[in-house]
Amino acid sequence: MFVTPGVIVDGKLITNNLVDINLGIRIMLGHSYYRDWEDQEMFVTRDPLGNPVDRRHPWNQHTIPAPAKRDFDKAYSWTMSPRWFDGKEFLPLDTGGGPLARLWATALSNLVHIGYVESTGHSVQINLPKTATRPETTFEWNIPQWSNAIERNRARTYFQAYAAACALHFIDQALAELRGGNTKTWEKFTVPEESVSVGFTEAVRGLLSHHMVIRDGKIANYHPYPPTPWNGSVRDTNGVPGPYEDAVQNTPIFEENGPDNFKGIDIMRTVRSFDPCLPCGVHMYLGDGKVVETTHSPASFPKI
């Protein structure tokens, strides 16, 4: 809530129109374990506004598994390659780990002005009121020069203050509704016989979209696209790597452990900046057939 959607390329805001963002999504097979759906049914040819819908849009996606032995020159992942088509290129957009993209799009769009949070066109100001133990405080997140692991983690800290400031605004709005007698909390909904729909929200790690087609009052096609397939996508049909692969390529290795004790901390730090949940899913292949796997177990609890 109160995060402006947007597609940013090379530091420039391309659009914050959700219709354009939705229609630009393309799902490419890339080097994944699936069969193409070029010969399959198209569920949607035009959206409710009359805009043409591409065969590779999630509304028209078919998930047809094609298991195979892992081959980095052919197929090597169960993740497809979501891309955003700008009219010329298929762009491997990332979610900035969540907060970086949210703050960047909000800052450039200059649409959020709620007192507690103010976008300026080049920054986001976060205004927290005085509390019983803390004075009134203002933080300002400025658009960085680079998008990297440090900036993704720095933005995550600022966004804690952003979320707290927005929560204060939501409380103000909710109390105003209650005092006005508006206590209804839901609307009756009837499933339509025929419909297409899309919903955008923000998961902790970034963009989450849901794409659904309804026929005869039932779900005919449904595909969710959370942050992981965007960030962790494999090289696409044009050979363009996904954000994880692109981010770790040519990363300087500062770890001093040799091959027999290699931990891959520099690589995991980069992946973790996109997704704090994924270091446990990063495995290191050292080139000689040895795979290094680290399993993180839950912390033990004291006996009571």
Side-chain angles (χ1 to χ4, degrees):
M1 301 288 281
F2 283 93
V3 169
T4 308
V7 172
I8 299 169
V9 179
D10 296 331
K12 297 181 179 180
L13 181 67
I14 304 301
T15 181
N16 53 29
N17 185 306
L18 283 173
V19 173
D20 295 336
I21 292 173
N22 173 53
L23 291 174
I25 297 175
R26 301 286 187 273
I27 308 303
M28 304 174 74
L29 286 178
H31 293 252
S32 62
Y33 301 123
Y34 297 96
R35 185 166 66 82
D36 204 353
W37 57 87
E38 286 291 334
D39 59 344
Q40 299 295 311
E41 171 190 11
M42 281 188 65
F43 291 92
V44 184
T45 57
R46 292 189 176 275
D47 73 0
L49 299 176
N51 299 305
V53 177
D54 193 84
R55 178 180 286 277
R56 308 215 72 81
H57 186 274
W59 278 331
N60 290 317
Q61 178 184 341
H62 291 256
T63 304
I64 311 171
K69 183 178 180 180
R70 180 181 296 162
D71 185 338
F72 288 106
D73 292 323
K74 296 179 181 178
Y76 60 90
S77 175
W78 286 104
T79 303
M80 295 187 193
S81 300
R83 296 293 185 261
W84 194 76
F85 186 57
D86 68 351
K88 296 180 180 179
E89 298 181 273
F90 297 94
L91 304 175
L93 302 183
D94 67 76
T95 72
L100 182 63
R102 288 195 280 267
L103 290 170
W104 208 315
T106 300
L108 287 176
S109 298
N110 196 15
L111 294 174
V112 176
H113 302 286
I114 59 174
Y116 294 113
V117 175
E118 294 288 331
S119 56
T120 68
H122 61 82
S123 69
V124 174
Q125 294 178 352
I126 304 163
N127 304 305
L128 298 178
K130 178 182 176 180
T131 68
T133 58
R134 302 291 298 175
E136 181 178 342
T137 305
T138 295
F139 300 101
E140 185 170 16
W141 178 88
N142 290 281
I143 294 175
Q145 184 175 356
W146 296 288
S147 170
N148 56 26
I150 291 176
E151 293 299 343
R152 282 187 285 274
N153 286 326
R154 189 173 73 91
R156 189 165 283 118
T157 298
Y158 273 87
F159 199 77
Q160 294 178 58
Y162 188 107
C166 284
L168 291 171
H169 175 71
F170 301 153
I171 290 172
D172 290 344
Q173 298 296 302
L175 289 174
E177 293 297 318
L178 287 172
R179 289 164 182 158
N182 301 320
T183 58
K184 189 175 181 180
T185 58
W186 63 283
E187 292 285 345
K188 184 178 180 180
F189 176 75
T190 302
V191 177
E193 285 296 306
E194 307 286 332
S195 184
V196 297
S197 62
V198 59
F200 287 92
T201 187
E202 282 287 316
V204 174
R205 302 159 295 137
L207 170 69
L208 167 61
S209 60
H210 296 264
H211 308 262
M212 183 184 294
V213 179
I214 295 177
R215 288 182 178 175
D216 299 323
K218 300 177 182 179
I219 297 174
N221 200 20
Y222 167 69
H223 294 282
Y225 270 90
T228 299
W230 284 99
N231 296 328
S233 65
V234 292
R235 295 191 304 276
D236 62 28
T237 309
N238 299 318
V240 178
Y244 285 166
E245 286 192 35
D246 188 46
V248 300
Q249 286 183 144
N250 302 313
T251 294
I253 301 297
F254 295 99
E255 181 181 343
E256 296 181 356
N257 292 320
D260 292 336
N261 196 33
F262 184 68
K263 305 296 184 184
I265 187 64
D266 299 292
I267 296 169
M268 286 194 284
R269 183 184 295 114
T270 300
V271 174
R272 172 177 273 175
S273 71
F274 286 98
D275 186 343
C277 301
L278 272 187
C280 58
V282 177
H283 306 305
M284 304 299 157
Y285 176 66
L286 304 182
D288 58 357
K290 180 180 179 182
V291 177
V292 179
E293 299 186 17
T294 302
T295 301
H296 300 275
S297 60
S300 60
F301 295 95
K303 294 182 179 180
I304 300 176

